[in-house]
Amino acid sequence: MAARYADLAGSGVLVSGGGSGIGAALVEGFARQGARVAFIDIAVKESRALAASLSGTVEHAPLFLEADLRDIPALRAAVAEAADALGGLKVLVNNAARDDRHDFEAIGPEDWDESLAVNLRHYAFAAQAALPHLRRAAAGTSGAAIVNLSSIAYLLNMGELPAYAAAKAGIVGLTKSLAGRLGPENIRVNAILPGMVLTERQRQLWVDEAAAAAGVARQCLKRSLGPEDIVGPCLFLASDASGAVTAQTLIVDGGML
Ligand SMILES: NC(=O)c1ccc[n+]([C@@H]2O[C@H](COP(=O)([O-])OP(=O)(O)OC[C@H]3O[C@@H](n4cnc5c(N)ncnc54)[C@H](O)[C@@H]3O)[C@@H](O)[C@H]2O)c1
């Protein structure tokens, strides 16, 4: 049973990449706090199924907005639509990503730009588009928050992830810059660095039973992490419970690092 954060009930929360994996768990987690949640995703089938499965089980059914986050005008339109539909935004969770592997000797400029577009660029432009709404929510109240999903992958010297790791490190830099810029307006900005989280995509593409066991062996906690393990830390960083926490990175990896 998750902790209850009274300030999140009724608040507008926007999650990118909320259609599956960790993002879907976050959409559900915020919705179960009584928040008004919208999520942006490109995966229509999964996203509609998530919205339908939560409808009727939470006070405010989450709103799915279809957009490709690589397309900045489409992203801006989706953020505006979310703020309009939810009656404002108190929380932005930048989460969408794609952890494609690349051979460093073969990667070309197009692959590089594509990786940064899907893993880093939209975090900045979602924050920019959400800013007027976050500012309105923060003015005269306890504040507003941005939570950026980075990864411990950039700390692990993983040779097959040059562009993804660069993007995930970049998210930490962006987090600290935005925290500096927005702190005076009572908008807090923090990052979560998940470890090995066994989502559908991870199981299908990268993590078989042996790799999962090897990952767990490197953790202090001897169990696999699931998307639900990221929910509590994200709710905490989004809520007033962490009202003096900004410019920080929170590693949620079962003690792998
Ligand atoms: N799963 C892990 O082990 C792990 C570890 C460390 C960090 N993370 C981070 O956590 C976050 C969530 O990861 P996940 O494992 O749940 O990923 P996932 O692939 O399961 O889900 C990502 C979601 O983003 C959406 N998305 C991807 N590209 C998009 C685009 N161009 N436009 C709109 N939506 C798009 C996908 O459709 C999907 O619903 C990411 O930032 C990831 O880097 C995950």
Side-chain angles (χ1 to χ4, degrees), residues 4-27:
R4 301 293 300 179
Y5 296 105
D7 62 294
L8 294 179
S11 292
V13 177
L14 176 60
V15 180
S16 73
S20 66
I22 292 170
L26 297 178
V27 166

Side-chain angles (χ1 to χ4, degrees), residues 76-118:
R76 288 181 171 140
V79 173
E81 193 178 340
D84 195 37
L86 306 180
L89 290 178
K90 179 181 164 71
V91 177
L92 168 68
V93 182
N94 280 316
N95 164 78
R98 215 181 55 225
D99 60 349
D100 292 341
R101 272 56 176 162
H102 295 103
D103 173 2
F104 179 65
E105 290 189 75
I107 193 168
E110 296 80 15
D111 305 318
W112 186 270
D113 288 349
E114 163 69 13
S115 184
L116 266 63
V118 82

Side-chain angles (χ1 to χ4, degrees), residues 152-159 195 218 256-257:
I152 67 165
Y154 85 86
L155 297 167
L156 289 176
N157 314 327
M158 296 173 75
R218 292 182 66 179
M256 186 179 279
L257 289 185

Side-chain angles (χ1 to χ4, degrees), residues 62-257:
L63 171 68
F64 164 48
L65 299 167
E66 181 187 352
D68 183 336
L69 293 156
R70 293 168 295 186
D71 176 348
I72 301 302
L75 159 61
R76 288 181 171 140
V79 173
E81 193 178 340
D84 195 37
L86 306 180
L89 290 178
K90 179 181 164 71
V91 177
L92 168 68
V93 182
N94 280 316
N95 164 78
R98 215 181 55 225
D99 60 349
D100 292 341
R101 272 56 176 162
H102 295 103
D103 173 2
F104 179 65
E105 290 189 75
I107 193 168
E110 296 80 15
D111 305 318
W112 186 270
D113 288 349
E114 163 69 13
S115 184
L116 266 63
V118 82
N119 290 311
L120 174 62
R121 188 177 64 175
H122 63 87
Y123 279 49
F125 288 100
Q128 188 189 64
L131 183 53
H133 310 289
L134 297 172
R135 185 175 276 147
R136 216 165 292 131
T141 71
S142 48
I146 299 174
V147 182
N148 292 326
L149 272 288
S150 172
S151 172
I152 67 165
Y154 85 86
L155 297 167
L156 289 176
N157 314 327
M158 296 173 75
E160 70 279 26
L161 290 173
Y164 178 80
K168 289 294 164 182
I171 288 166
V172 174
L174 175 67
T175 298
K176 295 187 82 70
S177 174
L178 290 183
R181 173 70 162 74
L182 304 180
E185 299 187 65
N186 214 15
I187 300 171
R188 299 177 301 104
V189 190
N190 292 289
I192 294 177
L193 280 62
M196 186 183 70
V197 178
L198 295 183
T199 59
E200 271 302 304
R201 177 177 162 90
Q202 295 301 308
R203 284 188 187 279
Q204 277 172 17
L205 293 180
W206 320 120
V207 187
D208 59 15
E209 287 304 316
V216 169
R218 292 182 66 179
Q219 297 173 189
C220 299
L221 303 178
K222 300 301 176 192
R223 68 171 178 83
S224 296
L225 306 188
E228 63 283 357
D229 286 303
I230 308 302
V231 174
C234 188
L235 293 176
F236 171 69
L237 289 176
S239 86
D240 298 346
S242 61
V245 180
T246 195
Q248 300 306 305
T249 55
L250 178 55
I251 293 175
V252 185
D253 69 348
M256 186 179 279
L257 289 185

